[in-house]
Amino acid sequence: NAGVTQTPKFRVLKTGQSMTLLCAQDMNHEYMYWYRQDPGMGLRLIHYSVGEGTTAKGEVPDGYNVSRLKKQNFLLGLESAAPSQTSVYFCASSYTYGLENTEAFFGQGTRLTVV
Amino acid sequence: AQSVTQLGSHVSVSEGALVLLRCNYSSSVPPYLFWYVQYPNQGLQLLLKYTSAATLVKGINGFEAEFKKSETSFHLTKPSAHMSDAAEYFCAVSGGFYNQGGKLIFGQGTELSVKP
């Protein structure tokens, strides 16, 4: 049972380069999220999706774009990478049971360094 | 809107001692509350969650947390620390159905060290 899988696990980019992080989940979850984790700041929400074909901005969306063309996949794009985007990126998915908020399941993370 | 404050970025205890990690939240709607643990170079794993049923919630690895609405707190405790508990712990809040998408808002994290 794979759960949430992130690709790649590590990446080094030069300033101005672009890249796409891929998140795939096999739990048929409606909701998917991208977070970034920085020391002393916890996890901050970048973008999220409440279903296939829909996306919304989180707390720190600037410099990122996302797409959810298929229910199981959520892509995070950096069009022109900046050193401030050096971080660990986590993807998560969840579902709502009736009116109850269930837990989010997290991937293993992608460590991105922009030089 | 929701927010979470974790008191203490680093907590150090001796093996066998009580673990207490503090979390206070702010929420404009009835909250759902979570504690996650992160071991080095890994993703986040759910310890426990509060979803408006019992106010005392038991989780994995002997951890528990109590929801106190009057104090807007959701502190995490464990009676006796093990070396394997050393990790970073995150408290998170969600507005659930009312907060479209059930997105989690995280605290800054508390790193727990356990001394032999």
Side-chain angles (χ1 to χ4, degrees), chain B residues 23-103:
Chain B
C23 172
N24 287 89
Y25 71 91
S26 171
S27 180
S28 55
V29 298
Y32 297 96
L33 294 159
F34 305 81
W35 275 100
Y36 282 85
V37 61
Q38 184 182 33
Y39 298 102
N41 299 315
Q42 294 190 25
L44 278 70
Q45 178 184 1
L46 182 71
L47 274 179
L48 50 79
K49 63 182 180 183
Y50 166 76
T51 57
S52 77
T55 56
L56 182 62
V57 181
K58 294 187 183 299
I60 63 171
N61 301 337
F63 285 94
E64 63 181 37
E66 186 172 8
F67 172 69
K68 293 187 176 180
K69 184 177 179 180
S70 61
E71 300 178 7
T72 61
S73 69
F74 190 57
H75 302 331
L76 182 69
T77 61
K78 182 174 180 178
S80 177
H82 294 169
M83 297 296 293
S84 60
D85 294 327
E88 188 153 23
Y89 292 79
F90 292 96
C91 182
V93 66
S94 171
F97 176 78
Y98 300 103
N99 186 14
Q100 187 180 17
K103 53 187 183 287

Side-chain angles (χ1 to χ4, degrees), chain A residues 31 33 35 37-38 40-45 48-50 57-59 90 94 96 98-109 111, chain B residues 9 32 34 36 38 41-46 49-52 88 90 94-109:
Chain A
Y31 307 111
Y33 316 87
Y35 290 89
Q37 182 181 21
D38 302 290
M41 303 188 75
L43 281 80
R44 294 179 292 168
L45 183 66
Y48 66 103
S49 169
V50 301
K57 294 180 180 180
E59 300 172 74
F90 286 99
S94 72
T96 295
L99 298 181
E100 187 170 293
N101 196 139
T102 63
E103 68 188 271
F105 295 80
F106 284 81
Q108 293 297 298
R111 187 172 297 274
Chain B
S9 58
Y32 297 96
F34 305 81
Y36 282 85
Q38 184 182 33
N41 299 315
Q42 294 190 25
L44 278 70
Q45 178 184 1
L46 182 71
K49 63 182 180 183
Y50 166 76
T51 57
S52 77
E88 188 153 23
F90 292 96
S94 171
F97 176 78
Y98 300 103
N99 186 14
Q100 187 180 17
K103 53 187 183 287
L104 295 173
I105 304 300
F106 285 86
Q108 304 92 321

Side-chain angles (χ1 to χ4, degrees), chain A residues 80-92:
Chain A
S80 179
S84 60
Q85 294 177 303
T86 293
S87 187
V88 181
Y89 292 85
F90 286 99
C91 177

Side-chain angles (χ1 to χ4, degrees), chain A residues 5-115:
Chain A
T5 303
Q6 292 182 231
T7 309
K9 290 183 170 50
F10 302 93
R11 185 72 185 267
V12 178
L13 283 181
K14 293 183 179 180
T15 297
Q17 286 185 320
S18 64
M19 77 162 294
T20 299
L21 282 67
L22 172 63
C23 177
Q25 53 97 1
D26 62 1
M27 297 172 283
N28 201 35
H29 287 172
E30 286 295 327
Y31 307 111
M32 297 187 74
Y33 316 87
W34 276 107
Y35 290 89
R36 60 177 288 172
Q37 182 181 21
D38 302 290
M41 303 188 75
L43 281 80
R44 294 179 292 168
L45 183 66
I46 305 171
H47 287 280
Y48 66 103
S49 169
V50 301
E52 182 178 321
T54 71
T55 63
K57 294 180 180 180
E59 300 172 74
V60 289
D62 294 342
Y64 305 95
N65 58 75
V66 289
S67 64
R68 182 110 180 261
L69 298 179
K70 294 183 179 181
K71 186 177 184 179
Q72 65 267 33
N73 295 336
F74 195 30
L75 278 64
L76 177 71
L78 287 73
E79 292 182 344
S80 179
S84 60
Q85 294 177 303
T86 293
S87 187
V88 181
Y89 292 85
F90 286 99
C91 177
S93 70
S94 72
Y95 64 99
T96 295
Y97 180 74
L99 298 181
E100 187 170 293
N101 196 139
T102 63
E103 68 188 271
F105 295 80
F106 284 81
Q108 293 297 298
T110 296
R111 187 172 297 274
L112 175 66
T113 302
V114 182
V115 297

